[in-house]
Every structure is written in C-alpha cells, then in structure tokens.
Amino acid sequence: MAGRSIHAFTVLPSLPERLAGLQKLAYNLWWCWNAEATALFRRVNPSLFEALDHSPIRLLTSLDQNRFEELTRDTSFLADLDRASAHLQTYLDEKTWFQSSYPQESDTRIAYFSMEFGIHESVPVYSGGLGVLAGDHLKSASDLGLPLMGGSFMFREGYFRQYLNIDGWQQERYPENDFFNLPLIAELDKSGQPVTVSAPLPGRDVQLRIWRIQVGRIPLYLLDANIPANRPEDRNLTAQLYGGDTHMRIQQEILLGIGGLRALRALGKEPTVCHMNEGHAAFVTLERIRNLMTEQKHDFATAAEAVKAGTCFTTHTPVPAGNDSFPPAMIEQYLGAYVDSLGVDRATFYAKGRQHPENADEPFGMTVLALKLANTSNGVSALHGTVSRKMWNDIWQGLPEAEVPIGSITNGVHTQSWLAPEMGELFDRYVHVEWESKPTDFKVWSKVESIPDAELWRTHTKCRAKLIAFARARLKAQLQRRGAPPSDIHAADEVLDPEALTIGFARRFATYKRGDLIFRDAERLAKIVNDAKRPVQFLFAGKAHPKDNGGKELIARVVHQAQKAEFRKHVVFLEDYDMNMARYMVHGVDVWLNNPRRPLEASGTSGMKVAVNGGLNCSILDGWWVEGYDGDNGFAIGAGEEYADLNYQDEVEGRLLYELIERDLVPLFYNRDAEALPRQWIRRMKRSISTLVPVYNTNRMVEEYYKTCYLPSHHRFKTLSANHLAAAAELADWRKGLLAAWGNVKVEGITAPTSDLMKVGGEFPVSVTVNLGTLTPKDVEVQICYGLLDSLGELTAPKSKALTATGANGSTETFTGNVHCERSGQFGFSVRVLPKHANLPTPFEPAVITWG
C-alpha cells in the first residue's frame, strides 16, 4: 500500500428513532450493574450478546437492520426500553449521598489515577484484582455521587488472552481492541477536533488523544498514543498493559502521571485532590508541582508543600520487589530535562524517591515518591497496613513501626456488579429494595434471616447448575481448540456434577498464592473427590504474568493433575479467566478457596464477591479474611501462623486444608434433613451474607476514602494554596529551618520518681529538659511514650502524651507532665521530641525524631 492515500470513514448502525434509547444506554456503563438494562440488551439477541463479550456496542453494530425493525414493533420490548431509560435518567438526576452529606464541599474535584480499570469484560483494559477494584471504586463513587474522575490508558491490545498448549503451558495472544466497537466518547475541542496533550520523553513530546468512558455519573478519561503524530515506537506505548521491559514501564508511567494531569487540565477539570492507586501514577505529583511553580512563581519546596497536601496514595503490594523502581541512570535518561524544569538540584530530587537519600546507588522508587509526596497513605487491609508500615519503616527512621504514617482502608466490591440476578430477585422479595440503596446497613442485611431456607438453597442450586453448564461448554471448546480426541470432547459433557460440593479457586497464578496446594497429597484428594455419596469437585481459573515462569509452572501442574483419570471428572481448569467467568464462578461455587502464604495477600477481593451470593470462604487468615472471619461465617485454614520454612508451611497447611474439607465442609454440606436441605450450611450462608456484605463493599470503602483521605486532603490543599500559596511558602521555610537545626536538638535530662512501684489509678510526674538549639518550644512537641514491656524490655503498643513547656534557661527548655497508671503490669516509658506545626498532616511526616 506504499504511496497510497487511505481515507477513513465510519459507518454507524441505523437505529430507528424509537430505539435511540438503546444507544444512550450502551454508552453509559451504568447498564452493566443494572440487571434490568443488562437483560434488555440480552433480549435483543441472546446468542449474539453472549458471543460478543456482552458488549452492547458490538451488539448494535452487528445486528441485522431487520431486527431493529422487529424491535420497533415489539411493544413489550419498547416498554422495557422506556423503563430502563427512565431508570438511568432518574439515577443521573436524583440527589446523591455526597450532595446530601457534604453540600458545602461542591468545589471538590478528585482525580483517581490507576494503570488499569476493570469495569466490564467488554472493555478489556484490565488484568485482574487491581483493575477490578479500580472499576468498582468508580461504580461506587458514581452511586454515592462523589465529584471524582478516573485517569488511565486506552490500550490498543489491553492485557493478554490466555490459552494453554497440549502440555498445559500458558500461551498468550494479544487481539487488538476495535475502538469503534467500544463505548468510547472522543473528547473534542470547540472546532470538533480531538483534544490532544503532550508528555515529555527524551528529545521529543509524545502526543496523547483523550477518550472518555462514562461510568454512571463518573467520567473515566483514557490516554491514547496511537496517533499518526507520534513515532511508531511511541504509538506502541499504549499498546499493552504490563507489556515490555522497564524502559516501557517508565515511559508509560510518565505518560500516566504527567500526561494524565495535562489531559484533565486541557479539559478544564484540574483536580484539588489526586489519588494514586498504586505507585504507577506517582509522577503526577511532579507535574502538579511544576504547574504551581510556573503559574504561582514559587520554588519547588513551596509548590511541593501544596501538592503534598492534596495528594492521596494507596499501596497494594506487600513485597518490596513488587514496587516499581528505576536506576538513577534511567531516571536521568527519561526525566533529566524535566527535572531541570523543576529548578531543583539532583540530590533533592532523588531524595524524594529513596528510603535512604544519602545512598546514591539506591534506585528511584515510585512507591517511595508517592509516600513522600502524599498527605495520606494507606494499605488495603488492616494486616496489609501493618506489613506496609514494616516494609517502609526506613523512610521514617527511628519511628516505631506502629506509628509509621501508613494507615489502612480495607477493600470492598461493588455489590450490584457481582450479585447473581437470581439472588437479586430473592433480596428484592425478602430484604426489599433497601439492599441497593443502603448496601452498608447491617439492619437491612439482617433481613436475610427471613429468607426461607428452601428458597435460598433452591436459588443457589440454580446458580451452581449454571456454573457447571458454563464450565462444561468452556472445557469442550478448550479441548476442541487443542485438537483433543473426540472421546475426550464428548466426555466434557459429563464432567462435574451440578449437585456436588463445588469449590472454586480463581485468581492471578503467582507462586505465593499456592494454586496447587490442594494436590500436595494427591492420593488423599482422590478419595475426597471420588466419594460416591459425598463427592467434592474443584474449578480452577487464572492467568500468570507472561514473564512469570513460576506462575506458569503452577498452572501446568494443576492442568496435569486435572488430566489424571482419578481427577478428570472432578477437577477442571478453565482458560482465559476474565470478569465474565468470574461472575459465573462467584455466583455458583459453594466454597471459595484462598490459600496464600501469609502475609503476602494484601487484601484479596474475590471472596467478597462470593459472600454476597451466599458462597462460603475457606481461606488462610490473610488479607481481608483476618477481619471478615468470625468463626461462623466461613472457614479458616490455620490460626494465622507465619512460617520461616516454606516447605513445612505448605505441608502443615495442606494437611489442615484436607482435614477442613473432610471434617467440616463435606459433613455440613451433605447432612440433609427430611426436606433434603442442609440446614447448618444454609445457616452459615445467611451468616456470611449478613456479616460480610455490609462491610466488604465499595460503598463503605469509598465513603471511608472520602472521609479519611479526600476531604482532609481537599481542605489542606485549599489552606496551603490560598493567597498564592502563602501558607505553603511559610511551611516550606519553616521546614527548611527545622531540618537545618534539628541536629542540635537533644534531650538533656529526665526526672521521674526513683521508686518503680506504682499503684493502679495513681500517676507520677515527669520533667524533661531539652536543648532546642535555635528552635523554640512552638516548633516541637515533647512526648512521653509509655506502655507494657515485653520480655526484651521493649515497649509494646506504646501510648504517647504531650508534655507542656514550663520554663526556659537559654536554649534549654523544661517540659513537664504526668503519667497515669491505668492497669497493673511491668511498664516503661521513654521520651521523644517531634516537630510541631499547625499545617503538618502528622508530626511524623518530616521524618525527624530525637529520643531521650
């Protein structure tokens, strides 16, 4: 085709005016969590809707014109269309939780940046848990009416599609996304031309086009580098999610952070708060700093104070190796000229990305950058918060782990997105419609107890039967594609049993998740699954990262076991795990199995999706399950032990898993009454729904983010950026003086009673003299840290109490206070000096501390 000029043109489906509502519904992904709207699209052409990944856009572009004409004459269909359209309009127009609860905060604008968003399988720009969580975050933000917008990439190929070769080894293929058949809305300028922005790479700027996907009330803006203005290699920067090497990764992260913020500004939507979902978007902080420096004529330090005030960060990774970092030479290669534009010396800049700023060889860490330039930071479960504080303790040297300023907000799932329609109808009848409008209300979910056991069991059995039918069809297609013998293909119609206890395991196949743990004693497992009266069956699914050979070996081991004669009818691995398959599995399994090595599961959300459908979790006490398990709403493998010997751990927990299945799961499931109902199992199902669903949903999670992260950050950003950053400038100057003078701060004396015997209810005075050097008492807070001592004489879970300045002698100040004896035991106390300033988010944030 060399030398030829190709003129592109677009052909749109010719929808009759009466069906125009279908197109409006199709271009707002609200339809994918509304059962009524989803059923409407399925009704247009059920088999085609199924074949086209449940994509309304592809459905409408693939439909024969005659079918449109038929639908215009179908009064029942038109009535359903009108009802769904009216429902969407009511949803968009009604007063929201945010408007009712925070009417005075209407100037808030939150930008939520994530490398991936999993909203629906028909928009394949996600890989797994991180993206699906981000998608659920947007859906709940929409339900709550938060002034939030998403920022990410419109990948040309997205994440890979998985298939297995004859030996069970994962293979990857990368089909291209047809943008025309996606719910993408081009952002255009006043002249009707695409809005583009640029992001800096060495020696050139990469141009980025902006697309929008509407997620209920929330706009998700997606960057696309695949435009003719860019070099061929630059056009590939938005080709694949998590593809390429570290050079590809750093360039994508520059585009996401710097290009992402520029896109929002070009659209007139500059945020007051930026939320970085994982460290991939941390460069957004640098671009915000650069903008303030340019527009407000301030230095880097001042602009950084204001930006930090309006930034939130969530970390998802519980191991250091999983956090992106780049060698200094690579940072210099890709960001050297950009750093020059910030007017800051290299030492100051690199210090923002290093735990140990003095170590010139330490890589530049994206998580470290995010932690140092965020007003609030959090892990995604209580245990993950603990792990994160330990992992990043060196940033705040000298500070006890428990006080490291990284909190936790436990993940959730968007209830309506993951609920089986059959269960939704059951809730409508017995829990009433409040379950949709009040998903966090325990009183609402307690009404689950009023559902008749027989109806709950019948509904769940129907969902399990649908899962088994789906699994058989997928297995048959897999075998046909691999060229399996006709006998094997025919036998696929008889694998699994719609009445048997069904255990599901589906997630990313990483080695720490131990996807093959259940096969550790294959002989014992064979007896369990082949019990003629009480059979058990397993469904596996999941992808390994293309470069994770350990994960691929795990998949191959599971597949090889599933092919053995003793397991063939009872164990199935389904290829190409996606959100559609996930829905079938969480709707239909009886038990969701999760057996990672504690504490490596940051949160895990798949089990939360099972709970709303009446499934029971069987999990290691890791991630969210430590908080969710109450002894009666599922099953725990072990008691939260952690092991140094991994092989021993696998042996112990493998045995515990078999015993749990044999002694608890199987008897509870198969012990039936005269009405053939497993009453004790059903009781646990109800307990699981009523205790877990009101807590582990993204409405609760997003409300928590708003109250503890977004709102304080918005207020602090407004405070520090007012009057041309006056408060930020004052804080920057104060910090500079503080850090210069801190080395001279010393605790010179501590006076306390000489007797170490005290009575409960009493108190004793403490007097501390501190040499402040050039600082003043208002620059510091002197604290007593006191609490129980452990066997090594260290404080356990210490409490702190501020002392009062009572007099000075030159540069030495005396601070006094009393310690209250609340309980008996062996106690101790220590004294420390921390910075103090009205505009600091926490006294630990400057990362300096002096102990007595």
Side-chain angles (χ1 to χ4, degrees):
M1 299 294 289
R4 298 187 187 181
S5 177
I6 297 175
H7 298 273
F9 60 94
T10 302
V11 180
L12 296 171
S14 180
L15 261 71
E17 183 63 31
R18 186 65 181 87
L19 301 179
L22 281 175
Q23 196 143 358
K24 183 176 180 182
L25 286 168
Y27 276 87
N28 189 322
L29 267 75
W30 167 88
W31 71 263
C32 76
W33 72 88
N34 182 272
E36 176 187 50
T38 305
L40 181 74
F41 286 118
R42 180 172 280 110
R43 191 171 162 187
V44 171
N45 187 317
S47 58
L48 193 58
F49 188 60
E50 200 68 34
L52 297 174
D53 292 325
H54 310 107
S55 167
I57 308 291
R58 292 174 67 190
L59 177 71
L60 295 180
T61 57
S62 303
L63 214 59
D64 187 274
Q65 200 67 32
N66 291 334
R67 179 56 179 152
F68 287 131
E69 301 302 332
E70 289 174 8
L71 292 173
T72 61
R73 298 190 294 271
D74 186 336
T75 55
S76 172
F77 179 85
L78 294 176
D80 287 347
L81 171 58
D82 292 344
R83 190 159 39 249
S85 297
H87 190 172
L88 172 58
Q89 199 57 51
T90 299
Y91 176 86
L92 296 174
D93 293 342
E94 66 190 359
K95 193 170 187 179
T96 66
W97 170 85
F98 175 76
Q99 290 168 330
S100 299
S101 304
Y102 298 94
Q104 71 281 12
E105 306 295 346
S106 58
D107 59 341
T108 308
R109 291 183 304 280
I110 305 155
Y112 179 81
F113 291 96
S114 180
M115 186 68 91
E116 52 173 307
F117 281 89
I119 301 164
H120 188 257
E121 64 269 16
S122 63
V123 187
V125 291
Y126 64 94
S127 72
L130 178 73
V132 173
L133 173 78
D136 282 7
H137 194 113
L138 295 194
K139 292 171 185 176
S140 280
S142 173
D143 291 343
L144 295 167
L146 244 61
L148 183 143
M149 49 201 163
S152 191
F153 290 119
M154 186 56 238
F155 291 104
R156 191 169 76 245
E157 297 171 0
Y159 204 51
F160 70 91
R161 304 298 297 265
Q162 176 198 55
Y163 66 98
L164 306 181
N165 67 16
I166 197 70
D167 197 40
W169 192 257
Q170 174 180 289
Q171 307 290 303
E172 298 91 26
R173 59 187 181 90
Y174 294 88
E176 289 208 3
N177 286 322
D178 180 357
F179 284 25
F180 174 69
N181 281 316
L182 290 169
L184 297 174
I185 301 163
E187 288 296 332
L188 306 175
D189 61 22
K190 292 179 181 178
S191 63
Q193 295 302 306
V195 176
T196 60
V197 295
S198 65
L201 287 180
R204 80 271 188 199
D205 284 338
V206 175
Q207 303 301 311
L208 299 164
R209 186 176 180 178
I210 308 166
W211 301 92
R212 171 168 55 91
I213 289 179
Q214 197 63 35
V215 186
R217 300 179 175 100
I218 303 296
L220 169 59
Y221 297 105
L222 303 168
L223 304 175
D224 174 17
N226 185 29
I227 56 178
N230 291 326
R231 301 176 180 180
E233 62 269 28
D234 291 341
R235 295 179 70 163
N236 283 329
L237 290 173
T238 56
Q240 291 179 5
L241 172 62
Y242 305 136
D245 56 11
T246 53
H247 289 274
M248 173 68 79
R249 179 61 67 88
I250 192 173
Q251 290 178 88
Q252 287 184 329
E253 294 184 353
I254 289 169
L255 265 55
L256 178 62
I258 298 174
L261 187 72
R262 290 181 182 182
L264 296 183
R265 284 167 59 89
L267 298 172
K269 296 180 178 292
E270 182 156 9
T272 59
V273 176
C274 285
H275 182 181
M276 302 171 290
N277 189 41
E278 198 57 288
H280 306 129
F283 291 140
V284 71
T285 58
L286 303 182
E287 180 65 5
R288 292 184 83 193
I289 290 170
R290 192 188 68 84
N291 289 335
L292 285 179
M293 290 176 65
T294 302
E295 294 161 9
Q296 302 284 353
K297 309 302 180 188
H298 275 289
D299 62 5
F300 180 90
T302 297
E305 294 289 358
V307 167
K308 185 181 184 111
T311 305
C312 307
F313 171 57
T314 298
T315 176
H316 294 261
T317 311
V319 289
N323 294 266
D324 285 348
S325 62
F326 304 105
M330 189 177 288
I331 292 290
E332 194 64 35
Q333 175 185 351
Y334 287 101
L335 282 166
Y338 187 85
V339 174
D340 290 339
S341 74
L342 296 174
V344 63
D345 64 85
R346 291 298 192 269
T348 302
F349 175 75
Y350 281 116
K352 297 294 184 188
R354 288 174 173 156
Q355 295 189 73
H356 309 94
E358 69 285 353
N359 181 2
D361 296 323
E362 182 180 332
F364 188 92
M366 298 297 283
T367 298
V368 178
L369 176 65
L371 288 167
K372 288 190 173 184
L373 286 176
N375 187 48
T376 67
S377 299
N378 68 277
V380 289
S381 70
L383 179 58
H384 181 231
T386 301
V387 170
S388 298
R389 288 188 287 276
K390 181 176 183 178
M391 192 161 66
W392 303 111
N393 198 167
D394 279 3
I395 297 175
W396 296 273
Q397 292 182 29
L399 190 64
E401 275 178 27
E403 293 182 301
V404 167
I406 302 175
S408 65
I409 296 178
T410 302
N411 284 343
V413 299
H414 187 254
T415 303
Q416 285 176 265
S417 291
W418 298 102
L419 180 68
E422 296 86 350
M423 287 294 289
E425 292 171 8
L426 202 60
F427 292 161
D428 286 344
R429 282 200 298 277
Y430 295 99
V431 182
H432 305 305
V433 292
E434 287 180 314
W435 71 267
E436 288 188 64
S437 60
K438 299 179 180 179
T440 62
D441 192 328
F442 276 93
K443 290 182 180 177
V444 170
W445 289 105
S446 68
K447 296 177 184 176
V448 165
E449 295 294 338
S450 68
I451 301 175
D453 287 357
E455 284 197 55
L456 179 58
W457 188 246
R458 187 165 57 245
T459 301
H460 176 66
T461 300
K462 188 187 299 183
C463 292
R464 189 195 311 117
K466 287 176 68 174
L467 168 62
I468 301 307
F470 171 82
R472 288 172 174 173
R474 288 294 289 262
L475 178 60
K476 201 169 183 177
Q478 289 173 200
L479 294 170
Q480 288 171 334
R481 186 195 53 74
R482 288 184 212 158
S487 58
D488 286 359
I489 296 171
H490 180 71
D493 286 329
E494 297 179 1
V495 301
L496 307 176
D497 178 352
E499 299 297 327
L501 172 58
T502 303
I503 298 176
F505 181 101
R507 53 189 33 86
R508 179 168 60 90
F509 264 73
T511 51
Y512 78 86
K513 294 178 185 278
R514 298 187 295 183
D516 64 343
L517 184 66
I518 192 67
F519 297 104
R520 192 165 179 90
D521 186 341
E523 187 177 339
R524 187 171 180 180
L525 180 63
K527 291 178 182 176
I528 291 171
V529 301
N530 286 293
D531 187 317
K533 293 183 179 179
R534 305 194 302 180
V536 180
Q537 57 197 15
F538 292 83
L539 261 175
F540 289 87
K543 298 176 178 179
H545 188 279
K547 294 182 180 178
D548 181 7
N549 285 332
K552 290 183 176 182
E553 287 169 3
L554 265 182
I555 292 173
R557 286 202 292 272
V558 172
V559 172
H560 290 163
Q561 294 285 0
Q563 291 170 343
K564 292 180 179 178
E566 62 268 34
F567 295 129
R568 189 168 293 170
K569 286 192 174 183
H570 312 287
V571 179
V572 170
F573 185 95
L574 297 179
E575 296 176 7
D576 205 25
Y577 185 50
D578 66 0
M579 292 178 75
N580 178 44
M581 187 185 295
R583 277 197 302 275
Y584 274 101
M585 291 190 71
V586 301
H587 291 175
V589 296
D590 300 298
V591 174
W592 195 254
L593 178 61
N594 188 31
N595 43 235
R597 289 193 180 98
R598 177 184 159 119
L600 299 181
E601 186 79 279
S603 176
T605 54
S606 54
M608 304 173 189
K609 298 161 190 165
V610 172
V612 71
N613 291 289
L616 300 180
N617 280 273
C618 177
S619 176
I620 297 288
L621 288 171
D622 196 7
W624 79 282
W625 193 232
V626 184
E627 303 164 54
Y629 178 62
D630 71 358
D632 203 30
N633 59 357
F635 306 94
I637 305 168
E641 302 90 348
E642 295 176 20
Y643 299 80
D645 185 332
L646 300 185
N647 189 58
Y648 178 68
Q649 179 178 6
D650 293 351
E651 182 65 30
V652 169
E653 292 177 342
R655 284 202 306 268
L656 286 172
L657 178 53
Y658 293 129
E659 289 168 9
L660 201 54
I661 293 171
E662 293 165 342
R663 297 180 184 180
D664 292 293
L665 273 65
V666 168
L668 271 178
F669 185 85
Y670 283 107
N671 287 350
R672 310 292 170 96
D673 65 6
E675 299 175 65
L677 294 173
R679 298 283 182 181
Q680 289 305 305
W681 188 276
I682 294 169
R683 184 184 66 80
R684 284 204 184 215
M685 289 173 68
K686 291 182 176 180
R687 178 79 183 161
S688 175
I689 295 170
S690 64
T691 60
L692 300 177
V693 177
V695 179
Y696 299 100
N697 67 75
T698 41
N699 277 51
R700 183 274 311 158
M701 181 190 84
V702 172
E703 283 187 30
E704 201 171 335
Y705 271 110
Y706 184 76
K707 293 171 184 175
T708 62
C709 301
Y710 300 158
L711 185 60
S713 298
H714 172 68
H715 284 168
R716 192 160 172 259
F717 178 75
K718 285 175 66 176
T719 298
L720 293 191
S721 58
N723 300 319
H724 300 288
L725 277 63
E730 188 276 328
L731 180 58
D733 287 343
W734 173 85
R735 187 190 298 270
K736 183 178 180 181
L738 175 93
L739 296 178
W742 194 262
N744 296 320
V745 174
K746 291 181 176 60
V747 176
E748 295 191 335
I750 302 172
T751 303
T754 54
S755 170
D756 62 353
L757 293 176
M758 309 298 297
K759 298 286 187 181
V760 173
E763 59 181 27
F764 62 90
V766 175
S767 177
V768 180
T769 54
V770 181
N771 189 328
L772 296 176
T774 57
L775 299 178
T776 69
K778 68 184 180 70
D779 294 320
V780 301
E781 183 168 285
V782 179
Q783 295 180 343
I784 293 180
C785 292
Y786 63 98
L788 284 167
L789 296 177
D790 62 17
S791 59
L792 299 176
E794 296 292 332
L795 291 172
T796 61
K799 293 183 178 181
S800 62
K801 180 178 181 180
L803 302 181
T804 304
T806 55
N809 181 11
S811 62
T812 301
E813 183 78 31
T814 300
F815 296 82
T816 61
N818 295 316
V819 176
H820 185 66
C821 302
E822 298 172 349
R823 50 184 287 202
S824 59
Q826 184 70 35
F827 283 79
F829 77 88
S830 60
V831 173
R832 66 186 181 189
V833 186
L834 291 167
K836 182 180 179 182
H837 191 284
N839 284 328
L840 280 179
T842 161
F844 309 131
E845 185 267 325
V848 291
I849 185 170
T850 295
W851 289 92

